[in-house]
Amino acid sequence: MSVESLITQHIDIWTSAVQTKSTSGRGTSSKLDLYGIKKLRELILELAVRGKLVSQDPNDEDASVLLKRISAKKNELIDSGLIKKPKKLSKISEEEIPFEIPQNWVWTRIQNVGHDLGQKKPDTKFTYIDVGAINKELGLIEEPNILEAADAPSRARKLVKKGTVIYSTVRPYLLNIAVIDHEILPEPIASTAFAIIHPLDGVLGSYIYRYLRSPSFITYVESVQNGVAYPAINDKQFFNGLIPIPPEKEQHRIVAKVDELMQLCDQLEQQTEASIAAHQVLVKTLLATLTNSKNAEELMENWQRISAHFDTLFTTEESIDQLKQTILQLAVMGKLVPQNPADEPASELLKRIAKEKAQLVKDKKIKKQKALPPIIDDEKPFELPDGWEWERIGNLSNFIEYGSSQKTVDSLPNGVPVLKMGDIQNGKLILGQHKVMSSDVEELPNLYLKNNDVLYNRTNSAELVGKTGIFKGEDDIYSFASYLIRIRCNPQNMLPDYLNLSMNTPMFRETQINPHIKKQCGQANVNGTLMKAMLVSLPPLEEQHRIFNKLGELMMLCDQLKNRLFMVQEARLQFADALVEQVV
């Protein structure tokens, strides 16, 4: 089977094997790793360096003859003093050879196909090539720096020229590899972070470049590298690595075929990313019809349209997350459960909350707060059902307090664990290993958390500031840091879970947090004063319970859907791996 047939006959495997990644990467779908296409690229390189990508031509000069000619040329350069004689490396043993190659190919060590160009300390203006100068996708030097000798970094030492292959030996998994494909002026000098190989006539730098990116060479590097956080190999390990050398003419055919197939992969990648992006827009648009529905009849009509295509719409992790966010939004708009006219209206809850707070002030348990401005119609993000009310968070809560600024350490006798902003995840507070502060501080016991306290993150990045989580833990065990604000309300009047839900909805962020974001030193701040004035919708207490129960059911279904998706995705990744293993 030709590689072209392999691509087209199994295109569904290559394009459907997609997984979520935590860091942005190549392409427009930054949250996704197109795993199948990535494996296809690796397969193309692996077939190429094994002699399985293009056919062998019996008329080609045997690679053993080519290597003899290269060896003679290298000895000539050594004898003339143009290059230094390298240290002799051991002969290749049978155990070292990772796979079989065609009969007219030869295994040799990388050192034997070229040489380095020596080192010098810059003494005049020069072109400095460091890792940042490389376009690793194209294998080219793209952004070198021109420096004066006086500004030369201590690592600027290795000489290079047109035709040289450079390989970053620091964090080699990043594949910062390039071929210098043109004359560079002023004189180019590379960082000592690179291993340098200038191939002799008969070995293409473009072939070496593709071999250094192949899974086989990556496996060798991983077997000899040192370090965990910043793994690296040294020059000796690089030059000691094996490389399969085809006849020179076949090298040209291999490079041309690899480039042709990589262009097909590029097209496949672009089409897949475009399809994923279009799918995301479609899901977002259809879900928006639910929150924009004017009445129950229109809502049901829009939901019927979505449910008819449910299996094709919710096929990615992002689409399921969008569904979750829509459910949250519907909940606080009064569109998730039906209203009951017999429920006590929220206006009565507001009267009780105001009366309770007045008593707390009278009993000197809280200070009288500055009156918040009345709510005007222009502030209200959407219309509410009968029996609901808009209210400011400051008026709904009994206590709003900043956390502790006490220094925390890893451990202390009787230390109090302190929750920080990173512990708020997806509307919850994650309890585990935390730094502690002394229990002998004046702030305690006042700043101990109690079950159902809501914590609001007032300072963070612009994307994360304002995130909120609810504490579900034992009373008087944990405290919280100063970048967090504690909101405590009486569950007899307002469910803390409903308040936390409201503050985690998309529209709350859009209308209540984003307009107030102020950046300072790379951080954004939306303080307690602003937070107290933010609006949430308040349903009758009985409906709050019904909403939260229904929400639990629907979120469980979404999680089950996501778990099934993970199983399908894992199967697709395994299919891609199995197909690659079968072909190689």
mmCIF file of all heavy atoms in Angstrom, residues 461-476:
data_model
loop_
_atom_site.group_PDB
_atom_site.id
_atom_site.type_symbol
_atom_site.label_atom_id
_atom_site.label_comp_id
_atom_site.label_asym_id
_atom_site.label_seq_id
_atom_site.Cartn_x
_atom_site.Cartn_y
_atom_site.Cartn_z
ATOM 1 N N SER A 461 -5.148 36.765 36.823
ATOM 2 C CA SER A 461 -5.046 37.182 35.425
ATOM 3 C C SER A 461 -6.418 37.668 34.960
ATOM 4 O O SER A 461 -7.444 37.379 35.585
ATOM 5 C CB SER A 461 -4.591 36.006 34.557
ATOM 6 O OG SER A 461 -5.578 34.989 34.545
ATOM 7 N N ALA A 462 -6.449 38.399 33.843
ATOM 8 C CA ALA A 462 -7.719 38.934 33.336
ATOM 9 C C ALA A 462 -8.717 37.815 33.035
ATOM 10 O O ALA A 462 -9.927 37.986 33.170
ATOM 11 C CB ALA A 462 -7.464 39.768 32.082
ATOM 12 N N GLU A 463 -8.200 36.651 32.649
ATOM 13 C CA GLU A 463 -9.080 35.527 32.302
ATOM 14 C C GLU A 463 -9.667 34.857 33.542
ATOM 15 O O GLU A 463 -10.753 34.285 33.497
ATOM 16 C CB GLU A 463 -8.328 34.482 31.475
ATOM 17 C CG GLU A 463 -7.853 34.955 30.114
ATOM 18 C CD GLU A 463 -6.616 35.848 30.193
ATOM 19 O OE1 GLU A 463 -5.908 35.793 31.232
ATOM 20 O OE2 GLU A 463 -6.376 36.615 29.246
ATOM 21 N N LEU A 464 -8.935 34.914 34.657
ATOM 22 C CA LEU A 464 -9.347 34.154 35.838
ATOM 23 C C LEU A 464 -9.871 35.007 36.989
ATOM 24 O O LEU A 464 -10.484 34.478 37.909
ATOM 25 C CB LEU A 464 -8.165 33.306 36.341
ATOM 26 C CG LEU A 464 -7.667 32.223 35.381
ATOM 27 C CD1 LEU A 464 -6.446 31.525 35.954
ATOM 28 C CD2 LEU A 464 -8.761 31.215 35.084
ATOM 29 N N VAL A 465 -9.607 36.306 36.983
ATOM 30 C CA VAL A 465 -10.084 37.151 38.078
ATOM 31 C C VAL A 465 -11.609 37.044 38.164
ATOM 32 O O VAL A 465 -12.312 36.970 37.159
ATOM 33 C CB VAL A 465 -9.651 38.619 37.881
ATOM 34 C CG1 VAL A 465 -10.357 39.266 36.694
ATOM 35 C CG2 VAL A 465 -9.876 39.427 39.154
ATOM 36 N N GLY A 466 -12.107 36.994 39.398
ATOM 37 C CA GLY A 466 -13.545 36.888 39.585
ATOM 38 C C GLY A 466 -14.058 35.467 39.662
ATOM 39 O O GLY A 466 -15.250 35.243 39.884
ATOM 40 N N LYS A 467 -13.172 34.472 39.507
ATOM 41 C CA LYS A 467 -13.656 33.088 39.615
ATOM 42 C C LYS A 467 -14.089 32.836 41.059
ATOM 43 O O LYS A 467 -13.563 33.410 42.012
ATOM 44 C CB LYS A 467 -12.592 32.089 39.175
ATOM 45 C CG LYS A 467 -11.338 32.036 40.029
ATOM 46 C CD LYS A 467 -10.387 30.956 39.525
ATOM 47 C CE LYS A 467 -9.125 30.898 40.392
ATOM 48 N NZ LYS A 467 -8.253 29.783 40.004
ATOM 49 N N THR A 468 -15.071 31.981 41.199
ATOM 50 C CA THR A 468 -15.710 31.768 42.493
ATOM 51 C C THR A 468 -15.850 30.288 42.763
ATOM 52 O O THR A 468 -16.100 29.489 41.855
ATOM 53 C CB THR A 468 -17.108 32.431 42.506
ATOM 54 O OG1 THR A 468 -16.977 33.791 42.098
ATOM 55 C CG2 THR A 468 -17.724 32.387 43.872
ATOM 56 N N GLY A 469 -15.694 29.903 44.036
ATOM 57 C CA GLY A 469 -15.872 28.511 44.426
ATOM 58 C C GLY A 469 -16.532 28.424 45.790
ATOM 59 O O GLY A 469 -16.436 29.342 46.609
ATOM 60 N N ILE A 470 -17.199 27.303 46.038
ATOM 61 C CA ILE A 470 -17.891 27.115 47.324
ATOM 62 C C ILE A 470 -17.131 26.091 48.159
ATOM 63 O O ILE A 470 -16.658 25.072 47.657
ATOM 64 C CB ILE A 470 -19.363 26.689 47.105
ATOM 65 C CG1 ILE A 470 -20.117 26.733 48.429
ATOM 66 C CG2 ILE A 470 -19.469 25.326 46.441
ATOM 67 C CD1 ILE A 470 -21.637 26.688 48.272
ATOM 68 N N PHE A 471 -16.982 26.405 49.441
ATOM 69 C CA PHE A 471 -16.233 25.559 50.368
ATOM 70 C C PHE A 471 -17.154 24.480 50.923
ATOM 71 O O PHE A 471 -18.186 24.777 51.530
ATOM 72 C CB PHE A 471 -15.663 26.411 51.505
ATOM 73 C CG PHE A 471 -14.982 25.623 52.593
ATOM 74 C CD1 PHE A 471 -13.751 25.034 52.374
ATOM 75 C CD2 PHE A 471 -15.584 25.474 53.838
ATOM 76 C CE1 PHE A 471 -13.123 24.304 53.382
ATOM 77 C CE2 PHE A 471 -14.965 24.759 54.851
ATOM 78 C CZ PHE A 471 -13.736 24.163 54.617
ATOM 79 N N LYS A 472 -16.792 23.234 50.711
ATOM 80 C CA LYS A 472 -17.518 22.098 51.251
ATOM 81 C C LYS A 472 -16.549 21.329 52.144
ATOM 82 O O LYS A 472 -15.843 20.422 51.692
ATOM 83 C CB LYS A 472 -18.039 21.196 50.128
ATOM 84 C CG LYS A 472 -19.017 21.867 49.173
ATOM 85 C CD LYS A 472 -20.367 22.131 49.833
ATOM 86 C CE LYS A 472 -21.389 22.659 48.852
ATOM 87 N NZ LYS A 472 -22.705 22.886 49.476
ATOM 88 N N GLY A 473 -16.483 21.736 53.399
ATOM 89 C CA GLY A 473 -15.549 21.101 54.312
ATOM 90 C C GLY A 473 -15.949 21.355 55.752
ATOM 91 O O GLY A 473 -16.985 21.970 56.039
ATOM 92 N N GLU A 474 -15.107 20.881 56.651
ATOM 93 C CA GLU A 474 -15.393 21.045 58.069
ATOM 94 C C GLU A 474 -15.256 22.509 58.490
ATOM 95 O O GLU A 474 -14.393 23.226 57.996
ATOM 96 C CB GLU A 474 -14.436 20.192 58.909
ATOM 97 C CG GLU A 474 -14.642 18.693 58.783
ATOM 98 C CD GLU A 474 -13.725 17.933 59.732
ATOM 99 O OE1 GLU A 474 -13.788 18.181 60.949
ATOM 100 O OE2 GLU A 474 -12.928 17.103 59.243
ATOM 101 N N ASP A 475 -16.085 22.899 59.430
ATOM 102 C CA ASP A 475 -16.003 24.255 59.981
ATOM 103 C C ASP A 475 -14.709 24.440 60.788
ATOM 104 O O ASP A 475 -14.219 23.502 61.429
ATOM 105 C CB ASP A 475 -17.184 24.531 60.913
ATOM 106 C CG ASP A 475 -18.504 24.651 60.173
ATOM 107 O OD1 ASP A 475 -18.483 24.593 58.936
ATOM 108 O OD2 ASP A 475 -19.550 24.788 60.840
ATOM 109 N N ASP A 476 -14.167 25.661 60.746
ATOM 110 C CA ASP A 476 -13.088 26.097 61.640
ATOM 111 C C ASP A 476 -11.810 25.262 61.523
ATOM 112 O O ASP A 476 -11.102 25.050 62.500
ATOM 113 C CB ASP A 476 -13.575 26.080 63.103
ATOM 114 C CG ASP A 476 -14.822 26.919 63.296
ATOM 115 O OD1 ASP A 476 -14.982 27.928 62.569
ATOM 116 O OD2 ASP A 476 -15.645 26.571 64.158
#
